[in-house]
Amino acid sequence: MMQLSSVFFGTAFFSYLAATILYVVGLTGRKMKAQSAALATFWTKWGYIVVIIGVITQALAIATRGIYGGYTPVSNMFEYMSFWAFTIMLAFVIINAFYKVPVLGAFVAPIGLVILAYASVFPRDSKPLIPALQSYWLNIHVTTAALGEGILTISFAAGLMYLLVTTDLTKNSRTAKFLEFTVYLFFALLSFVLTSLGFRAAGYAQIVSGTMGDQLYHLPPFIGPTGAELGTAAHFLGVPLPLFDAPGWMHAADAGMQFNTILITIIASLVLYAILRLIARKPLSMVIQKWVSGLDSDMLDELSYRAIAIGYPVFTLGALVFAMIWAQEAWGSYWSWDPKETWALITWLYYTAYLHFRLQRGWEGKKTAWMAVLGFVVILFLLVGVNLVISGLHSYAKA
Amino acid sequence: MNNRKKTFFDAIWEFFASVKVGITIIVLLAIGSILGTIYPQTNAIPSPNPDFYYNDTYGKLGDLYYRMGLADTFNSWWYLTLVLMLFISLIIVSIDRGVPLYKSLKRQPVARKLIAIQADRLYTKAEGGDAEAKLEALAQQLKKRRYKVRREDGALLAEKGRLARFGAYVIHLGLIITILGVFSRLIPGWYYTDMIWLKEGETKPVGNLGFSVQNNGFTLEFYDQAQTRAKKFETDAVIYENGQATAKKHLAVNDYLTYKHTNIYQNSYDPQPMFKTGTIELLDTRNNNKSLGTFVIDFNNPQREYKVGDYTVTMANYFPDVKVDPDKGVFTNSRDPYNPGIQFDITGPDQMEPARQWMIPLAGPFVKQMLGKDYRFDLQFKDVDLFHMTGLKIERDLGWWPIVFPGLVIALCGLVLAFYFQHRRVWARLEEGVLHIGANTNKHWIGITGELNKVLVPLGIEPVSQKRKEEPQQS
């Protein structure tokens, strides 16, 4: 069952990859030749079909893994992040069926793809559930919350497209800079996934000793743990490592390792960005802007809002109400100010503010588009940041 | 009421009715909540001494965090003030806007001004033919589509989903009830919480609620040999009231017992085991460690004297949780047998003078050396029975089921109304033989356009189309 699940999972991954390529090719080809308009619809149409294939195979991957483990596979980081990628693509399939904005796929498919790839950086083995998670509420609470987050992610994609359509990137405005930075962040996430998976595939492992014990590095240890002897742990491209150690005030034993991962990600992403930038010979946001040129900005604005209007109640139900009921059942208190539930509340307050700005203060266009884009950062922190940075009652989700 | 008071009241009312103020409160609550997640709150730290914990664990920043009161953000005066302001704002906003909306919808005239109908985003007209019959047919068709149709002569108002307009206020109402439910904990007797740690067989009273809970056996299972991943931990709990066993339940995580509105949860267990009983063998070190016999100690209730063959083992000192310190000497940390240390006096046929010696099964080499090693006898564990204390959580929250939970359900209903339902209205007016039809919705214009055209086209009336681009604004 587990092998079957892996096969389905791989198929889904490559479907999303193929869909991303189909969409991007379809959109870049659109303006090049006179006869290419029809071709573009051909490409994007196939992109949509391939996305649907991906969603179906991922559903099968989730189902087979669920049969193997005996529970809905949403209990650790790998399972949850890949489930989130699934809900994003599912939300896209449904919303695109109503709104018919194929270009949306060129943004959503890469997002889903990178999140799915990011999921596979985490340990992939299926572990039996600890007592706290042995409840049918695991299925209900986590899946509903993920669905809400998936729909809200569509709002981010549409908001980003809106900003690209309406911003004059030739002028050096703050919006233009932020957009370029957003594009860079995407490549930063991509670099993290590529370096992590690359070194793992190569079987890279290096133990570095510090004053707070040994640390197993899966990336070249440019930064050692506190107190590690410099230049003695390993060689990478002829450079003796570590180059320096994590300062003592960072406290945590794995601070050096985390710091090291961040440093490598930044270096790798800058290299990747520089290469792409040299090929494009202009800001990457301008390249992407071409894909969306000619799109109806009002429609994108509406789409971004509609995704929040649909996703917000689902999120409230799954991430707050179901969470409270389960907490009452399992922990004996419906609210404990655990960091995860507090961040769910913060996310909820954020989108509540969005809705009041939009519906009561008449905000629309650029302002709400930025809010939708930033909302994705809030969700990302809720799902990833809280688990990796803050510990709490949900800390079993760390691995 | 004099003028000055009225102005003051009005000022308060206007302040809380303002959307700007409402949004500001929401944003401040979000920012405040973020501050409360930077470091663990005092209720979540594994130490009873927050004064030292934050400094020791997180350094100067942690100490500053604790001193600023952020380690207890969610009980701080400013956070609770924000929640109170949100509560007041929810009430005032809902009355300030909900009531006039209700009144205006209740009083809306059937015969709307023609110029208003013509200005509707969806508008069409039917000229010629029997306009009266068309109006009648329109009324019938709209009724079939579950519109509430009202007629005055030559005029029609069809309406459905009016409740959707109140979705936002239903959400507000649900939140008001939820917040009330949360603060019902302040009513004396409505809220009680406690952690109870029980050894096997032990009974402890639950606060002053008038009953006790007994641990009738605790089981702990792991998935793996290394005991890193718990499979289950469960307690056979019995409730006693006035000396009578009144309830029992096999408690597990996610499966609790409710007794007299009080919930008893399997919350945790003490990962450090305690000694229950041990079978100890007495060995003669002067005679090739020859076994002289065995005896059994109950560590919770040890005997004063044990007979082992011809020998007598007398307990001189018992430290259930022994600590050996070079400066402070030997003492016990607690009365729980986590790490028992016993000083025995042993006498026998060839040992008239009592031989005093220690037995500390968990002692390290350092302690062994300190306490002396060249003993006349050796005491070896042949068999030991360990147990874990079970951690039960007691939670009595009378506000949850009757107040908080319904509040949440109401808020959810409001969300569904506000975001998934629409308030649709159709007006028709017969003026000089021409039937004017206008329609309006608070959102999802595509839906009403389609629905209306399904009615209009069979009647031979020109279909409507939107005049402007779709705007999602709710009025």
PDB file of all heavy atoms in Angstrom, chain A residues 17-33 36-47 103 105-106 110 290-291:
ATOM      1  N   LEU A  17       4.054  19.297 -12.086  1.00  0.00           N
ATOM      2  CA  LEU A  17       5.217  19.838 -12.804  1.00  0.00           C
ATOM      3  C   LEU A  17       4.862  20.043 -14.272  1.00  0.00           C
ATOM      4  O   LEU A  17       5.106  21.109 -14.854  1.00  0.00           O
ATOM      5  CB  LEU A  17       6.402  18.875 -12.657  1.00  0.00           C
ATOM      6  CG  LEU A  17       7.698  19.296 -13.353  1.00  0.00           C
ATOM      7  CD1 LEU A  17       8.241  20.574 -12.733  1.00  0.00           C
ATOM      8  CD2 LEU A  17       8.745  18.190 -13.257  1.00  0.00           C
ATOM      9  N   ALA A  18       4.239  19.004 -14.875  1.00  0.00           N
ATOM     10  CA  ALA A  18       3.854  19.092 -16.282  1.00  0.00           C
ATOM     11  C   ALA A  18       2.858  20.221 -16.487  1.00  0.00           C
ATOM     12  O   ALA A  18       2.951  20.987 -17.457  1.00  0.00           O
ATOM     13  CB  ALA A  18       3.254  17.759 -16.737  1.00  0.00           C
ATOM     14  N   ALA A  19       1.909  20.354 -15.553  1.00  0.00           N
ATOM     15  CA  ALA A  19       0.898  21.403 -15.671  1.00  0.00           C
ATOM     16  C   ALA A  19       1.559  22.773 -15.618  1.00  0.00           C
ATOM     17  O   ALA A  19       1.228  23.677 -16.396  1.00  0.00           O
ATOM     18  CB  ALA A  19      -0.130  21.265 -14.553  1.00  0.00           C
ATOM     19  N   THR A  20       2.522  22.916 -14.700  1.00  0.00           N
ATOM     20  CA  THR A  20       3.237  24.192 -14.594  1.00  0.00           C
ATOM     21  C   THR A  20       3.896  24.528 -15.928  1.00  0.00           C
ATOM     22  O   THR A  20       3.762  25.650 -16.436  1.00  0.00           O
ATOM     23  CB  THR A  20       4.317  24.102 -13.490  1.00  0.00           C
ATOM     24  OG1 THR A  20       3.695  23.719 -12.274  1.00  0.00           O
ATOM     25  CG2 THR A  20       5.023  25.430 -13.301  1.00  0.00           C
ATOM     26  N   ILE A  21       4.568  23.535 -16.512  1.00  0.00           N
ATOM     27  CA  ILE A  21       5.251  23.772 -17.788  1.00  0.00           C
ATOM     28  C   ILE A  21       4.240  24.113 -18.878  1.00  0.00           C
ATOM     29  O   ILE A  21       4.406  25.079 -19.626  1.00  0.00           O
ATOM     30  CB  ILE A  21       6.101  22.529 -18.171  1.00  0.00           C
ATOM     31  CG1 ILE A  21       7.238  22.368 -17.155  1.00  0.00           C
ATOM     32  CG2 ILE A  21       6.650  22.665 -19.581  1.00  0.00           C
ATOM     33  CD1 ILE A  21       7.940  21.030 -17.226  1.00  0.00           C
ATOM     34  N   LEU A  22       3.159  23.342 -18.923  1.00  0.00           N
ATOM     35  CA  LEU A  22       2.135  23.590 -19.951  1.00  0.00           C
ATOM     36  C   LEU A  22       1.585  25.007 -19.835  1.00  0.00           C
ATOM     37  O   LEU A  22       1.440  25.724 -20.822  1.00  0.00           O
ATOM     38  CB  LEU A  22       0.993  22.576 -19.805  1.00  0.00           C
ATOM     39  CG  LEU A  22       1.273  21.161 -20.312  1.00  0.00           C
ATOM     40  CD1 LEU A  22       0.193  20.201 -19.834  1.00  0.00           C
ATOM     41  CD2 LEU A  22       1.360  21.163 -21.831  1.00  0.00           C
ATOM     42  N   TYR A  23       1.268  25.391 -18.592  1.00  0.00           N
ATOM     43  CA  TYR A  23       0.704  26.726 -18.384  1.00  0.00           C
ATOM     44  C   TYR A  23       1.691  27.811 -18.778  1.00  0.00           C
ATOM     45  O   TYR A  23       1.356  28.767 -19.477  1.00  0.00           O
ATOM     46  CB  TYR A  23       0.287  26.910 -16.919  1.00  0.00           C
ATOM     47  CG  TYR A  23      -1.107  26.430 -16.626  1.00  0.00           C
ATOM     48  CD1 TYR A  23      -1.328  25.423 -15.700  1.00  0.00           C
ATOM     49  CD2 TYR A  23      -2.205  27.003 -17.265  1.00  0.00           C
ATOM     50  CE1 TYR A  23      -2.608  24.976 -15.419  1.00  0.00           C
ATOM     51  CE2 TYR A  23      -3.483  26.569 -16.994  1.00  0.00           C
ATOM     52  CZ  TYR A  23      -3.687  25.554 -16.071  1.00  0.00           C
ATOM     53  OH  TYR A  23      -4.952  25.129 -15.796  1.00  0.00           O
ATOM     54  N   VAL A  24       2.931  27.665 -18.300  1.00  0.00           N
ATOM     55  CA  VAL A  24       3.916  28.718 -18.550  1.00  0.00           C
ATOM     56  C   VAL A  24       4.231  28.809 -20.037  1.00  0.00           C
ATOM     57  O   VAL A  24       4.271  29.897 -20.612  1.00  0.00           O
ATOM     58  CB  VAL A  24       5.186  28.464 -17.704  1.00  0.00           C
ATOM     59  CG1 VAL A  24       6.300  29.412 -18.115  1.00  0.00           C
ATOM     60  CG2 VAL A  24       4.869  28.658 -16.227  1.00  0.00           C
ATOM     61  N   VAL A  25       4.405  27.649 -20.677  1.00  0.00           N
ATOM     62  CA  VAL A  25       4.655  27.659 -22.122  1.00  0.00           C
ATOM     63  C   VAL A  25       3.463  28.279 -22.846  1.00  0.00           C
ATOM     64  O   VAL A  25       3.616  29.119 -23.730  1.00  0.00           O
ATOM     65  CB  VAL A  25       4.932  26.227 -22.636  1.00  0.00           C
ATOM     66  CG1 VAL A  25       4.905  26.194 -24.153  1.00  0.00           C
ATOM     67  CG2 VAL A  25       6.263  25.730 -22.118  1.00  0.00           C
ATOM     68  N   GLY A  26       2.271  27.882 -22.421  1.00  0.00           N
ATOM     69  CA  GLY A  26       1.054  28.415 -23.043  1.00  0.00           C
ATOM     70  C   GLY A  26       0.988  29.926 -22.948  1.00  0.00           C
ATOM     71  O   GLY A  26       0.560  30.606 -23.872  1.00  0.00           O
ATOM     72  N   LEU A  27       1.442  30.458 -21.821  1.00  0.00           N
ATOM     73  CA  LEU A  27       1.306  31.898 -21.620  1.00  0.00           C
ATOM     74  C   LEU A  27       2.449  32.676 -22.254  1.00  0.00           C
ATOM     75  O   LEU A  27       2.241  33.749 -22.799  1.00  0.00           O
ATOM     76  CB  LEU A  27       1.240  32.209 -20.121  1.00  0.00           C
ATOM     77  CG  LEU A  27      -0.043  31.697 -19.475  1.00  0.00           C
ATOM     78  CD1 LEU A  27      -0.015  31.967 -17.991  1.00  0.00           C
ATOM     79  CD2 LEU A  27      -1.252  32.351 -20.101  1.00  0.00           C
ATOM     80  N   THR A  28       3.667  32.120 -22.201  1.00  0.00           N
ATOM     81  CA  THR A  28       4.765  32.855 -22.827  1.00  0.00           C
ATOM     82  C   THR A  28       4.630  32.804 -24.333  1.00  0.00           C
ATOM     83  O   THR A  28       5.009  33.740 -25.033  1.00  0.00           O
ATOM     84  CB  THR A  28       6.141  32.278 -22.415  1.00  0.00           C
ATOM     85  OG1 THR A  28       6.031  30.870 -22.350  1.00  0.00           O
ATOM     86  CG2 THR A  28       6.583  32.812 -21.078  1.00  0.00           C
ATOM     87  N   GLY A  29       4.075  31.710 -24.840  1.00  0.00           N
ATOM     88  CA  GLY A  29       3.914  31.586 -26.280  1.00  0.00           C
ATOM     89  C   GLY A  29       2.805  32.462 -26.826  1.00  0.00           C
ATOM     90  O   GLY A  29       2.747  32.743 -28.006  1.00  0.00           O
ATOM     91  N   ARG A  30       1.950  32.918 -25.931  1.00  0.00           N
ATOM     92  CA  ARG A  30       0.733  33.575 -26.366  1.00  0.00           C
ATOM     93  C   ARG A  30       0.985  34.794 -27.252  1.00  0.00           C
ATOM     94  O   ARG A  30       0.307  35.006 -28.237  1.00  0.00           O
ATOM     95  CB  ARG A  30      -0.075  33.979 -25.138  1.00  0.00           C
ATOM     96  CG  ARG A  30      -1.492  34.329 -25.448  1.00  0.00           C
ATOM     97  CD  ARG A  30      -2.263  34.550 -24.206  1.00  0.00           C
ATOM     98  NE  ARG A  30      -1.581  35.551 -23.378  1.00  0.00           N
ATOM     99  CZ  ARG A  30      -2.143  36.111 -22.319  1.00  0.00           C
ATOM    100  NH1 ARG A  30      -3.343  35.778 -21.966  1.00  0.00           N
ATOM    101  NH2 ARG A  30      -1.497  36.988 -21.610  1.00  0.00           N
ATOM    102  N   LYS A  31       1.966  35.612 -26.846  1.00  0.00           N
ATOM    103  CA  LYS A  31       2.137  36.885 -27.556  1.00  0.00           C
ATOM    104  C   LYS A  31       3.168  36.800 -28.677  1.00  0.00           C
ATOM    105  O   LYS A  31       3.431  37.769 -29.356  1.00  0.00           O
ATOM    106  CB  LYS A  31       2.582  37.963 -26.560  1.00  0.00           C
ATOM    107  CG  LYS A  31       1.607  38.196 -25.450  1.00  0.00           C
ATOM    108  CD  LYS A  31       0.633  39.301 -25.805  1.00  0.00           C
ATOM    109  CE  LYS A  31      -0.650  39.105 -25.019  1.00  0.00           C
ATOM    110  NZ  LYS A  31      -1.626  40.125 -25.125  1.00  0.00           N
ATOM    111  N   MET A  32       3.791  35.645 -28.803  1.00  0.00           N
ATOM    112  CA  MET A  32       4.930  35.592 -29.709  1.00  0.00           C
ATOM    113  C   MET A  32       4.520  35.597 -31.180  1.00  0.00           C
ATOM    114  O   MET A  32       5.016  36.375 -31.970  1.00  0.00           O
ATOM    115  CB  MET A  32       5.784  34.365 -29.423  1.00  0.00           C
ATOM    116  CG  MET A  32       6.618  34.542 -28.163  1.00  0.00           C
ATOM    117  SD  MET A  32       7.510  33.059 -27.791  1.00  0.00           S
ATOM    118  CE  MET A  32       8.286  33.512 -26.266  1.00  0.00           C
ATOM    119  N   LYS A  33       3.614  34.735 -31.524  1.00  0.00           N
ATOM    120  CA  LYS A  33       3.238  34.641 -32.943  1.00  0.00           C
ATOM    121  C   LYS A  33       1.770  34.934 -33.107  1.00  0.00           C
ATOM    122  O   LYS A  33       0.979  34.791 -32.174  1.00  0.00           O
ATOM    123  CB  LYS A  33       3.534  33.230 -33.463  1.00  0.00           C
ATOM    124  CG  LYS A  33       5.022  32.949 -33.594  1.00  0.00           C
ATOM    125  CD  LYS A  33       5.246  31.484 -33.901  1.00  0.00           C
ATOM    126  CE  LYS A  33       6.696  31.114 -33.612  1.00  0.00           C
ATOM    127  NZ  LYS A  33       6.848  29.709 -33.281  1.00  0.00           N
ATOM    128  N   SER A  36      -0.533  32.010 -32.520  1.00  0.00           N
ATOM    129  CA  SER A  36      -0.344  31.251 -31.303  1.00  0.00           C
ATOM    130  C   SER A  36      -1.478  31.394 -30.288  1.00  0.00           C
ATOM    131  O   SER A  36      -1.478  30.731 -29.277  1.00  0.00           O
ATOM    132  CB  SER A  36       0.981  31.633 -30.642  1.00  0.00           C
ATOM    133  OG  SER A  36       0.918  32.986 -30.261  1.00  0.00           O
ATOM    134  N   ALA A  37      -2.436  32.290 -30.539  1.00  0.00           N
ATOM    135  CA  ALA A  37      -3.522  32.467 -29.574  1.00  0.00           C
ATOM    136  C   ALA A  37      -4.283  31.164 -29.365  1.00  0.00           C
ATOM    137  O   ALA A  37      -4.547  30.752 -28.238  1.00  0.00           O
ATOM    138  CB  ALA A  37      -4.459  33.563 -30.041  1.00  0.00           C
ATOM    139  N   ALA A  38      -4.596  30.504 -30.477  1.00  0.00           N
ATOM    140  CA  ALA A  38      -5.326  29.245 -30.378  1.00  0.00           C
ATOM    141  C   ALA A  38      -4.479  28.191 -29.696  1.00  0.00           C
ATOM    142  O   ALA A  38      -4.967  27.403 -28.892  1.00  0.00           O
ATOM    143  CB  ALA A  38      -5.739  28.769 -31.779  1.00  0.00           C
ATOM    144  N   LEU A  39      -3.172  28.233 -30.018  1.00  0.00           N
ATOM    145  CA  LEU A  39      -2.254  27.270 -29.438  1.00  0.00           C
ATOM    146  C   LEU A  39      -2.187  27.430 -27.921  1.00  0.00           C
ATOM    147  O   LEU A  39      -2.137  26.467 -27.177  1.00  0.00           O
ATOM    148  CB  LEU A  39      -0.865  27.482 -30.058  1.00  0.00           C
ATOM    149  CG  LEU A  39       0.059  26.269 -30.051  1.00  0.00           C
ATOM    150  CD1 LEU A  39      -0.548  25.139 -30.849  1.00  0.00           C
ATOM    151  CD2 LEU A  39       1.425  26.664 -30.585  1.00  0.00           C
ATOM    152  N   ALA A  40      -2.190  28.688 -27.496  1.00  0.00           N
ATOM    153  CA  ALA A  40      -2.116  28.960 -26.065  1.00  0.00           C
ATOM    154  C   ALA A  40      -3.286  28.301 -25.340  1.00  0.00           C
ATOM    155  O   ALA A  40      -3.116  27.678 -24.295  1.00  0.00           O
ATOM    156  CB  ALA A  40      -2.101  30.456 -25.811  1.00  0.00           C
ATOM    157  N   THR A  41      -4.475  28.439 -25.904  1.00  0.00           N
ATOM    158  CA  THR A  41      -5.618  27.813 -25.243  1.00  0.00           C
ATOM    159  C   THR A  41      -5.456  26.297 -25.238  1.00  0.00           C
ATOM    160  O   THR A  41      -5.840  25.636 -24.296  1.00  0.00           O
ATOM    161  CB  THR A  41      -6.944  28.193 -25.914  1.00  0.00           C
ATOM    162  OG1 THR A  41      -6.792  27.991 -27.308  1.00  0.00           O
ATOM    163  CG2 THR A  41      -7.314  29.627 -25.607  1.00  0.00           C
ATOM    164  N   PHE A  42      -4.823  25.782 -26.302  1.00  0.00           N
ATOM    165  CA  PHE A  42      -4.558  24.345 -26.350  1.00  0.00           C
ATOM    166  C   PHE A  42      -3.659  23.936 -25.185  1.00  0.00           C
ATOM    167  O   PHE A  42      -3.944  22.994 -24.470  1.00  0.00           O
ATOM    168  CB  PHE A  42      -3.900  24.006 -27.696  1.00  0.00           C
ATOM    169  CG  PHE A  42      -3.283  22.640 -27.743  1.00  0.00           C
ATOM    170  CD1 PHE A  42      -4.067  21.524 -27.983  1.00  0.00           C
ATOM    171  CD2 PHE A  42      -1.914  22.459 -27.527  1.00  0.00           C
ATOM    172  CE1 PHE A  42      -3.507  20.251 -28.017  1.00  0.00           C
ATOM    173  CE2 PHE A  42      -1.348  21.202 -27.560  1.00  0.00           C
ATOM    174  CZ  PHE A  42      -2.143  20.096 -27.810  1.00  0.00           C
ATOM    175  N   TRP A  43      -2.565  24.703 -24.987  1.00  0.00           N
ATOM    176  CA  TRP A  43      -1.625  24.398 -23.905  1.00  0.00           C
ATOM    177  C   TRP A  43      -2.313  24.500 -22.541  1.00  0.00           C
ATOM    178  O   TRP A  43      -2.194  23.612 -21.712  1.00  0.00           O
ATOM    179  CB  TRP A  43      -0.440  25.362 -23.915  1.00  0.00           C
ATOM    180  CG  TRP A  43       0.531  25.136 -25.016  1.00  0.00           C
ATOM    181  CD1 TRP A  43       0.581  25.817 -26.200  1.00  0.00           C
ATOM    182  CD2 TRP A  43       1.587  24.178 -25.061  1.00  0.00           C
ATOM    183  NE1 TRP A  43       1.596  25.342 -26.982  1.00  0.00           N
ATOM    184  CE2 TRP A  43       2.238  24.339 -26.303  1.00  0.00           C
ATOM    185  CE3 TRP A  43       2.051  23.198 -24.164  1.00  0.00           C
ATOM    186  CZ2 TRP A  43       3.327  23.550 -26.678  1.00  0.00           C
ATOM    187  CZ3 TRP A  43       3.135  22.432 -24.539  1.00  0.00           C
ATOM    188  CH2 TRP A  43       3.764  22.603 -25.786  1.00  0.00           C
ATOM    189  N   THR A  44      -3.003  25.617 -22.309  1.00  0.00           N
ATOM    190  CA  THR A  44      -3.593  25.821 -20.992  1.00  0.00           C
ATOM    191  C   THR A  44      -4.733  24.830 -20.737  1.00  0.00           C
ATOM    192  O   THR A  44      -4.950  24.411 -19.604  1.00  0.00           O
ATOM    193  CB  THR A  44      -4.103  27.252 -20.822  1.00  0.00           C
ATOM    194  OG1 THR A  44      -4.944  27.575 -21.921  1.00  0.00           O
ATOM    195  CG2 THR A  44      -2.961  28.239 -20.730  1.00  0.00           C
ATOM    196  N   LYS A  45      -5.414  24.450 -21.822  1.00  0.00           N
ATOM    197  CA  LYS A  45      -6.481  23.463 -21.659  1.00  0.00           C
ATOM    198  C   LYS A  45      -5.888  22.144 -21.167  1.00  0.00           C
ATOM    199  O   LYS A  45      -6.390  21.516 -20.245  1.00  0.00           O
ATOM    200  CB  LYS A  45      -7.181  23.260 -23.008  1.00  0.00           C
ATOM    201  CG  LYS A  45      -8.563  22.635 -22.903  1.00  0.00           C
ATOM    202  CD  LYS A  45      -9.267  22.754 -24.231  1.00  0.00           C
ATOM    203  CE  LYS A  45      -9.886  21.453 -24.655  1.00  0.00           C
ATOM    204  NZ  LYS A  45     -10.291  21.486 -26.081  1.00  0.00           N
ATOM    205  N   TRP A  46      -4.762  21.769 -21.782  1.00  0.00           N
ATOM    206  CA  TRP A  46      -4.101  20.547 -21.344  1.00  0.00           C
ATOM    207  C   TRP A  46      -3.522  20.701 -19.946  1.00  0.00           C
ATOM    208  O   TRP A  46      -3.497  19.755 -19.164  1.00  0.00           O
ATOM    209  CB  TRP A  46      -3.032  20.121 -22.352  1.00  0.00           C
ATOM    210  CG  TRP A  46      -3.670  19.252 -23.392  1.00  0.00           C
ATOM    211  CD1 TRP A  46      -4.071  19.618 -24.641  1.00  0.00           C
ATOM    212  CD2 TRP A  46      -4.037  17.886 -23.229  1.00  0.00           C
ATOM    213  NE1 TRP A  46      -4.664  18.571 -25.278  1.00  0.00           N
ATOM    214  CE2 TRP A  46      -4.657  17.487 -24.438  1.00  0.00           C
ATOM    215  CE3 TRP A  46      -3.911  16.952 -22.195  1.00  0.00           C
ATOM    216  CZ2 TRP A  46      -5.144  16.188 -24.621  1.00  0.00           C
ATOM    217  CZ3 TRP A  46      -4.396  15.668 -22.387  1.00  0.00           C
ATOM    218  CH2 TRP A  46      -5.010  15.299 -23.599  1.00  0.00           C
ATOM    219  N   GLY A  47      -3.078  21.933 -19.664  1.00  0.00           N
ATOM    220  CA  GLY A  47      -2.583  22.197 -18.303  1.00  0.00           C
ATOM    221  C   GLY A  47      -3.653  21.882 -17.274  1.00  0.00           C
ATOM    222  O   GLY A  47      -3.403  21.205 -16.262  1.00  0.00           O
ATOM    223  N   VAL A 103      -5.148  31.422 -16.835  1.00  0.00           N
ATOM    224  CA  VAL A 103      -3.866  31.998 -16.425  1.00  0.00           C
ATOM    225  C   VAL A 103      -3.605  31.742 -14.943  1.00  0.00           C
ATOM    226  O   VAL A 103      -2.470  31.608 -14.503  1.00  0.00           O
ATOM    227  CB  VAL A 103      -3.869  33.510 -16.704  1.00  0.00           C
ATOM    228  CG1 VAL A 103      -2.463  34.064 -16.570  1.00  0.00           C
ATOM    229  CG2 VAL A 103      -4.415  33.776 -18.085  1.00  0.00           C
ATOM    230  N   GLY A 105      -3.874  29.192 -13.408  1.00  0.00           N
ATOM    231  CA  GLY A 105      -3.129  27.939 -13.291  1.00  0.00           C
ATOM    232  C   GLY A 105      -1.627  28.146 -13.341  1.00  0.00           C
ATOM    233  O   GLY A 105      -0.866  27.442 -12.682  1.00  0.00           O
ATOM    234  N   ALA A 106      -1.196  29.159 -14.123  1.00  0.00           N
ATOM    235  CA  ALA A 106       0.237  29.418 -14.243  1.00  0.00           C
ATOM    236  C   ALA A 106       0.810  29.891 -12.917  1.00  0.00           C
ATOM    237  O   ALA A 106       2.015  29.835 -12.700  1.00  0.00           O
ATOM    238  CB  ALA A 106       0.492  30.459 -15.319  1.00  0.00           C
ATOM    239  N   PRO A 110       2.546  26.214  -9.965  1.00  0.00           N
ATOM    240  CA  PRO A 110       3.880  26.239  -9.334  1.00  0.00           C
ATOM    241  C   PRO A 110       3.826  26.340  -7.807  1.00  0.00           C
ATOM    242  O   PRO A 110       4.676  25.745  -7.133  1.00  0.00           O
ATOM    243  CB  PRO A 110       4.560  27.468  -9.923  1.00  0.00           C
ATOM    244  CG  PRO A 110       3.654  28.050 -10.908  1.00  0.00           C
ATOM    245  CD  PRO A 110       2.366  27.302 -10.918  1.00  0.00           C
ATOM    246  N   LYS A 290       4.203  39.623 -18.332  1.00  0.00           N
ATOM    247  CA  LYS A 290       3.789  39.355 -19.717  1.00  0.00           C
ATOM    248  C   LYS A 290       2.686  38.300 -19.781  1.00  0.00           C
ATOM    249  O   LYS A 290       1.813  38.359 -20.628  1.00  0.00           O
ATOM    250  CB  LYS A 290       4.994  38.886 -20.536  1.00  0.00           C
ATOM    251  CG  LYS A 290       5.706  40.017 -21.225  1.00  0.00           C
ATOM    252  CD  LYS A 290       6.516  39.460 -22.365  1.00  0.00           C
ATOM    253  CE  LYS A 290       7.034  40.566 -23.260  1.00  0.00           C
ATOM    254  NZ  LYS A 290       8.048  40.058 -24.189  1.00  0.00           N
ATOM    255  N   TRP A 291       2.789  37.319 -18.888  1.00  0.00           N
ATOM    256  CA  TRP A 291       1.786  36.241 -18.909  1.00  0.00           C
ATOM    257  C   TRP A 291       0.396  36.790 -18.655  1.00  0.00           C
ATOM    258  O   TRP A 291      -0.588  36.286 -19.167  1.00  0.00           O
ATOM    259  CB  TRP A 291       2.067  35.189 -17.835  1.00  0.00           C
ATOM    260  CG  TRP A 291       3.417  34.572 -17.876  1.00  0.00           C
ATOM    261  CD1 TRP A 291       4.348  34.673 -18.875  1.00  0.00           C
ATOM    262  CD2 TRP A 291       3.993  33.754 -16.871  1.00  0.00           C
ATOM    263  NE1 TRP A 291       5.461  33.977 -18.546  1.00  0.00           N
ATOM    264  CE2 TRP A 291       5.286  33.396 -17.325  1.00  0.00           C
ATOM    265  CE3 TRP A 291       3.548  33.274 -15.640  1.00  0.00           C
ATOM    266  CZ2 TRP A 291       6.130  32.581 -16.579  1.00  0.00           C
ATOM    267  CZ3 TRP A 291       4.380  32.474 -14.898  1.00  0.00           C
ATOM    268  CH2 TRP A 291       5.665  32.127 -15.359  1.00  0.00           C
TER     269      TRP A 291
END
